Amino acid sequence: MRPNRRVTRRAKAALVGAGATLPAGCGTGGGLRSAGRVPTAIGPARLRPQLPPASAAPYDYDEGATARIPGGTVPHDDVHGVDPVAVVQAGLKAAISRSGGSDELPAGTVRKIAACRTAPVECPVLQPYYRDLTGDGRDDMVLGVRRSDGRLSVRVCMAETGGPTRILAVSDSVISVEPAGRDVIMRVPSAIAGYEYRTAWSWDDHQRAMLPTQDEILRKTPQAAPSGRPSAEPSPEPSMVPPAVASAGRR
């Protein structure tokens, strides 16, 4: 959970070929000739090099935090057979892998989760969808929990040694949640009119968690007509529609 939305700026060096050449035409002996003068490549410059580098993140972004769901089992390592409500309920008691890496839910949302069996209409756990996000050949479970403060908690669980492990838990005021290849793309409103934030969460095998590999601000795209793609946009019914087909690949 982030107190202030950030924009990641990636410095890009101008990659220009030094002396590009083109094949000569017939009758010239098959030699090479110059394509003309090209601009000199200019690399990034470090401003204020005398300033000490930061040693700690300014705030917690929930990246890299995982949690083993207590008491849960995944028969045959197939998350399709796991009850998503039971996973969310058990996850409330899970120990986070590192301090500060928690997607803590409001008390009102926790009460509704606990009462999902007796009051299913009020249950904030959305219908899950499934996608192999870790590349191990098995589907992972993508969960959505509608929070009482209007935000959405997006959680991903994988099967690991016979039980569920949560590899992503992040909350935001989302426009939509979409799979793209092995990424989970979250679109979030921006304070700048006509723009939105898009964050791509991707599996990192070294960290054994999903990390925000792309975080950018872009102009809003026109709202497309419903196409059966998964969406976390608020709706009267607590549901998250599973994807009908795989969406486009990674940007």
mmCIF file of all heavy atoms in Angstrom, residues 1 88 91-92 102-110 113 124 145-149 151-155 166 170-171:
data_model
loop_
_atom_site.group_PDB
_atom_site.id
_atom_site.type_symbol
_atom_site.label_atom_id
_atom_site.label_comp_id
_atom_site.label_asym_id
_atom_site.label_seq_id
_atom_site.Cartn_x
_atom_site.Cartn_y
_atom_site.Cartn_z
ATOM 1 N N MET A 1 0.839 -1.172 0.000
ATOM 2 C CA MET A 1 0.000 0.000 0.000
ATOM 3 C C MET A 1 0.885 1.236 0.000
ATOM 4 O O MET A 1 1.778 1.351 0.814
ATOM 5 C CB MET A 1 -0.889 -0.028 1.239
ATOM 6 C CG MET A 1 -2.051 0.892 1.175
ATOM 7 S SD MET A 1 -3.339 0.460 2.383
ATOM 8 C CE MET A 1 -2.409 -0.115 3.783
ATOM 9 N N VAL A 88 -8.761 -16.863 1.523
ATOM 10 C CA VAL A 88 -8.746 -15.479 2.022
ATOM 11 C C VAL A 88 -8.926 -15.456 3.537
ATOM 12 O O VAL A 88 -8.243 -14.713 4.253
ATOM 13 C CB VAL A 88 -9.821 -14.637 1.318
ATOM 14 C CG1 VAL A 88 -9.893 -13.239 1.941
ATOM 15 C CG2 VAL A 88 -9.517 -14.520 -0.168
ATOM 16 N N GLY A 91 -5.807 -16.602 5.102
ATOM 17 C CA GLY A 91 -4.750 -15.634 4.861
ATOM 18 C C GLY A 91 -4.737 -14.477 5.842
ATOM 19 O O GLY A 91 -3.716 -13.799 6.002
ATOM 20 N N LEU A 92 -5.870 -14.248 6.508
ATOM 21 C CA LEU A 92 -5.916 -13.178 7.515
ATOM 22 C C LEU A 92 -4.991 -13.477 8.695
ATOM 23 O O LEU A 92 -4.571 -12.562 9.408
ATOM 24 C CB LEU A 92 -7.353 -12.989 8.016
ATOM 25 C CG LEU A 92 -8.384 -12.551 6.969
ATOM 26 C CD1 LEU A 92 -9.781 -12.519 7.583
ATOM 27 C CD2 LEU A 92 -8.030 -11.186 6.398
ATOM 28 N N SER A 102 2.631 -6.005 4.513
ATOM 29 C CA SER A 102 1.286 -6.538 4.711
ATOM 30 C C SER A 102 0.271 -5.698 3.960
ATOM 31 O O SER A 102 0.390 -4.484 3.870
ATOM 32 C CB SER A 102 0.939 -6.565 6.205
ATOM 33 O OG SER A 102 0.917 -5.251 6.733
ATOM 34 N N ASP A 103 -0.710 -6.379 3.410
ATOM 35 C CA ASP A 103 -1.823 -5.701 2.764
ATOM 36 C C ASP A 103 -2.990 -5.756 3.746
ATOM 37 O O ASP A 103 -3.948 -6.505 3.565
ATOM 38 C CB ASP A 103 -2.153 -6.407 1.442
ATOM 39 C CG ASP A 103 -3.352 -5.790 0.742
ATOM 40 O OD1 ASP A 103 -3.470 -4.558 0.759
ATOM 41 O OD2 ASP A 103 -4.176 -6.551 0.206
ATOM 42 N N GLU A 104 -2.891 -4.992 4.815
ATOM 43 C CA GLU A 104 -3.869 -5.068 5.895
ATOM 44 C C GLU A 104 -5.229 -4.570 5.420
ATOM 45 O O GLU A 104 -5.343 -3.515 4.795
ATOM 46 C CB GLU A 104 -3.393 -4.243 7.088
ATOM 47 C CG GLU A 104 -4.268 -4.400 8.322
ATOM 48 C CD GLU A 104 -3.689 -3.696 9.527
ATOM 49 O OE1 GLU A 104 -2.525 -3.246 9.448
ATOM 50 O OE2 GLU A 104 -4.397 -3.601 10.553
ATOM 51 N N LEU A 105 -6.262 -5.330 5.741
ATOM 52 C CA LEU A 105 -7.611 -4.992 5.321
ATOM 53 C C LEU A 105 -8.335 -4.243 6.433
ATOM 54 O O LEU A 105 -8.075 -4.469 7.624
ATOM 55 C CB LEU A 105 -8.384 -6.269 4.978
ATOM 56 C CG LEU A 105 -7.814 -7.101 3.825
ATOM 57 C CD1 LEU A 105 -8.590 -8.405 3.688
ATOM 58 C CD2 LEU A 105 -7.838 -6.324 2.525
ATOM 59 N N PRO A 106 -9.281 -3.345 6.087
ATOM 60 C CA PRO A 106 -10.054 -2.636 7.105
ATOM 61 C C PRO A 106 -10.870 -3.605 7.962
ATOM 62 O O PRO A 106 -11.236 -4.708 7.508
ATOM 63 C CB PRO A 106 -10.973 -1.731 6.276
ATOM 64 C CG PRO A 106 -10.317 -1.606 4.941
ATOM 65 C CD PRO A 106 -9.611 -2.909 4.718
ATOM 66 N N ALA A 107 -11.167 -3.196 9.175
ATOM 67 C CA ALA A 107 -11.893 -4.062 10.114
ATOM 68 C C ALA A 107 -13.250 -4.468 9.553
ATOM 69 O O ALA A 107 -13.688 -5.618 9.720
ATOM 70 C CB ALA A 107 -12.047 -3.352 11.454
ATOM 71 N N GLY A 108 -13.940 -3.549 8.882
ATOM 72 C CA GLY A 108 -15.239 -3.873 8.309
ATOM 73 C C GLY A 108 -15.147 -4.945 7.242
ATOM 74 O O GLY A 108 -16.022 -5.815 7.140
ATOM 75 N N THR A 109 -14.078 -4.907 6.448
ATOM 76 C CA THR A 109 -13.873 -5.927 5.415
ATOM 77 C C THR A 109 -13.558 -7.268 6.041
ATOM 78 O O THR A 109 -14.056 -8.311 5.588
ATOM 79 C CB THR A 109 -12.728 -5.503 4.480
ATOM 80 O OG1 THR A 109 -12.998 -4.220 3.932
ATOM 81 C CG2 THR A 109 -12.569 -6.502 3.348
ATOM 82 N N VAL A 110 -12.756 -7.272 7.102
ATOM 83 C CA VAL A 110 -12.414 -8.512 7.794
ATOM 84 C C VAL A 110 -13.675 -9.170 8.361
ATOM 85 O O VAL A 110 -13.839 -10.398 8.272
ATOM 86 C CB VAL A 110 -11.386 -8.243 8.915
ATOM 87 C CG1 VAL A 110 -11.169 -9.494 9.767
ATOM 88 C CG2 VAL A 110 -10.067 -7.768 8.321
ATOM 89 N N ILE A 113 -15.537 -10.844 5.559
ATOM 90 C CA ILE A 113 -14.857 -12.065 5.121
ATOM 91 C C ILE A 113 -15.164 -13.209 6.071
ATOM 92 O O ILE A 113 -15.436 -14.341 5.652
ATOM 93 C CB ILE A 113 -13.335 -11.822 5.029
ATOM 94 C CG1 ILE A 113 -13.017 -10.854 3.884
ATOM 95 C CG2 ILE A 113 -12.590 -13.141 4.833
ATOM 96 C CD1 ILE A 113 -11.562 -10.433 3.829
ATOM 97 N N PRO A 124 -17.073 -10.035 0.420
ATOM 98 C CA PRO A 124 -16.275 -9.172 -0.461
ATOM 99 C C PRO A 124 -15.279 -9.921 -1.343
ATOM 100 O O PRO A 124 -14.564 -9.289 -2.129
ATOM 101 C CB PRO A 124 -15.532 -8.275 0.524
ATOM 102 C CG PRO A 124 -15.341 -9.136 1.736
ATOM 103 C CD PRO A 124 -16.565 -10.023 1.807
ATOM 104 N N VAL A 145 -10.407 -8.848 -3.435
ATOM 105 C CA VAL A 145 -11.203 -8.604 -2.238
ATOM 106 C C VAL A 145 -11.621 -7.139 -2.251
ATOM 107 O O VAL A 145 -10.769 -6.244 -2.223
ATOM 108 C CB VAL A 145 -10.407 -8.919 -0.945
ATOM 109 C CG1 VAL A 145 -11.257 -8.620 0.282
ATOM 110 C CG2 VAL A 145 -9.949 -10.366 -0.940
ATOM 111 N N ARG A 146 -12.916 -6.916 -2.315
ATOM 112 C CA ARG A 146 -13.425 -5.548 -2.332
ATOM 113 C C ARG A 146 -13.413 -4.982 -0.920
ATOM 114 O O ARG A 146 -14.084 -5.478 -0.021
ATOM 115 C CB ARG A 146 -14.842 -5.533 -2.911
ATOM 116 C CG ARG A 146 -15.376 -4.130 -3.175
ATOM 117 C CD ARG A 146 -16.642 -4.191 -3.979
ATOM 118 N NE ARG A 146 -16.377 -4.764 -5.294
ATOM 119 C CZ ARG A 146 -17.313 -5.297 -6.065
ATOM 120 N NH1 ARG A 146 -18.549 -5.392 -5.630
ATOM 121 N NH2 ARG A 146 -17.003 -5.760 -7.255
ATOM 122 N N ARG A 147 -12.626 -3.940 -0.728
ATOM 123 C CA ARG A 147 -12.466 -3.341 0.595
ATOM 124 C C ARG A 147 -13.592 -2.371 0.898
ATOM 125 O O ARG A 147 -14.202 -1.786 0.000
ATOM 126 C CB ARG A 147 -11.121 -2.624 0.687
ATOM 127 C CG ARG A 147 -9.909 -3.526 0.528
ATOM 128 C CD ARG A 147 -8.646 -2.732 0.293
ATOM 129 N NE ARG A 147 -8.467 -1.670 1.261
ATOM 130 C CZ ARG A 147 -7.443 -1.578 2.114
ATOM 131 N NH1 ARG A 147 -6.511 -2.521 2.109
ATOM 132 N NH2 ARG A 147 -7.343 -0.576 2.942
ATOM 133 N N SER A 148 -13.849 -2.158 2.196
ATOM 134 C CA SER A 148 -14.908 -1.236 2.607
ATOM 135 C C SER A 148 -14.546 0.221 2.356
ATOM 136 O O SER A 148 -15.414 1.087 2.379
ATOM 137 C CB SER A 148 -15.214 -1.440 4.098
ATOM 138 O OG SER A 148 -14.035 -1.295 4.884
ATOM 139 N N ASP A 149 -13.262 0.515 2.081
ATOM 140 C CA ASP A 149 -12.856 1.883 1.795
ATOM 141 C C ASP A 149 -12.881 2.190 0.295
ATOM 142 O O ASP A 149 -12.401 3.237 -0.138
ATOM 143 C CB ASP A 149 -11.467 2.178 2.368
ATOM 144 C CG ASP A 149 -10.384 1.233 1.830
ATOM 145 O OD1 ASP A 149 -10.679 0.448 0.907
ATOM 146 O OD2 ASP A 149 -9.253 1.288 2.340
ATOM 147 N N ARG A 151 -11.341 0.594 -2.141
ATOM 148 C CA ARG A 151 -10.210 0.062 -2.900
ATOM 149 C C ARG A 151 -10.377 -1.443 -3.117
ATOM 150 O O ARG A 151 -11.264 -2.075 -2.542
ATOM 151 C CB ARG A 151 -8.895 0.367 -2.187
ATOM 152 C CG ARG A 151 -8.565 1.857 -2.184
ATOM 153 C CD ARG A 151 -7.186 2.108 -1.634
ATOM 154 N NE ARG A 151 -7.105 1.822 -0.207
ATOM 155 C CZ ARG A 151 -5.971 1.798 0.470
ATOM 156 N NH1 ARG A 151 -4.821 1.996 -0.147
ATOM 157 N NH2 ARG A 151 -5.964 1.561 1.763
ATOM 158 N N LEU A 152 -9.516 -1.986 -3.952
ATOM 159 C CA LEU A 152 -9.534 -3.417 -4.227
ATOM 160 C C LEU A 152 -8.207 -4.020 -3.804
ATOM 161 O O LEU A 152 -7.143 -3.486 -4.139
ATOM 162 C CB LEU A 152 -9.767 -3.684 -5.713
ATOM 163 C CG LEU A 152 -9.931 -5.162 -6.075
ATOM 164 C CD1 LEU A 152 -11.340 -5.641 -5.764
ATOM 165 C CD2 LEU A 152 -9.617 -5.393 -7.554
ATOM 166 N N SER A 153 -8.261 -5.109 -3.075
ATOM 167 C CA SER A 153 -7.059 -5.856 -2.726
ATOM 168 C C SER A 153 -6.890 -6.978 -3.740
ATOM 169 O O SER A 153 -7.781 -7.816 -3.905
ATOM 170 C CB SER A 153 -7.171 -6.440 -1.311
ATOM 171 O OG SER A 153 -6.060 -7.284 -1.032
ATOM 172 N N VAL A 154 -5.771 -6.992 -4.445
ATOM 173 C CA VAL A 154 -5.474 -8.016 -5.443
ATOM 174 C C VAL A 154 -4.446 -8.967 -4.846
ATOM 175 O O VAL A 154 -3.385 -8.537 -4.393
ATOM 176 C CB VAL A 154 -4.945 -7.386 -6.742
ATOM 177 C CG1 VAL A 154 -4.602 -8.472 -7.762
ATOM 178 C CG2 VAL A 154 -5.966 -6.420 -7.319
ATOM 179 N N ARG A 155 -4.767 -10.255 -4.855
ATOM 180 C CA ARG A 155 -3.908 -11.256 -4.249
ATOM 181 C C ARG A 155 -3.698 -12.421 -5.208
ATOM 182 O O ARG A 155 -4.639 -12.819 -5.907
ATOM 183 C CB ARG A 155 -4.523 -11.755 -2.933
ATOM 184 C CG ARG A 155 -4.707 -10.615 -1.942
ATOM 185 C CD ARG A 155 -5.433 -11.014 -0.685
ATOM 186 N NE ARG A 155 -5.407 -9.880 0.245
ATOM 187 C CZ ARG A 155 -5.272 -9.989 1.558
ATOM 188 N NH1 ARG A 155 -5.173 -11.184 2.120
ATOM 189 N NH2 ARG A 155 -5.230 -8.918 2.317
ATOM 190 N N ARG A 166 0.891 -17.127 -0.747
ATOM 191 C CA ARG A 166 0.507 -15.846 -1.347
ATOM 192 C C ARG A 166 1.759 -15.128 -1.833
ATOM 193 O O ARG A 166 2.676 -14.861 -1.050
ATOM 194 C CB ARG A 166 -0.243 -14.994 -0.329
ATOM 195 C CG ARG A 166 -0.975 -13.806 -0.967
ATOM 196 C CD ARG A 166 -1.880 -13.136 0.041
ATOM 197 N NE ARG A 166 -1.140 -12.524 1.124
ATOM 198 C CZ ARG A 166 -1.591 -12.430 2.378
ATOM 199 N NH1 ARG A 166 -2.757 -12.928 2.711
ATOM 200 N NH2 ARG A 166 -0.852 -11.843 3.317
ATOM 201 N N VAL A 170 -1.661 -6.546 -2.836
ATOM 202 C CA VAL A 170 -1.542 -5.094 -2.967
ATOM 203 C C VAL A 170 -2.933 -4.498 -3.124
ATOM 204 O O VAL A 170 -3.818 -5.108 -3.743
ATOM 205 C CB VAL A 170 -0.652 -4.727 -4.184
ATOM 206 C CG1 VAL A 170 -1.244 -5.232 -5.482
ATOM 207 C CG2 VAL A 170 -0.386 -3.238 -4.244
ATOM 208 N N SER A 171 -3.156 -3.338 -2.544
ATOM 209 C CA SER A 171 -4.443 -2.661 -2.624
ATOM 210 C C SER A 171 -4.298 -1.332 -3.353
ATOM 211 O O SER A 171 -3.283 -0.642 -3.216
ATOM 212 C CB SER A 171 -5.020 -2.399 -1.226
ATOM 213 O OG SER A 171 -5.389 -3.597 -0.594
#
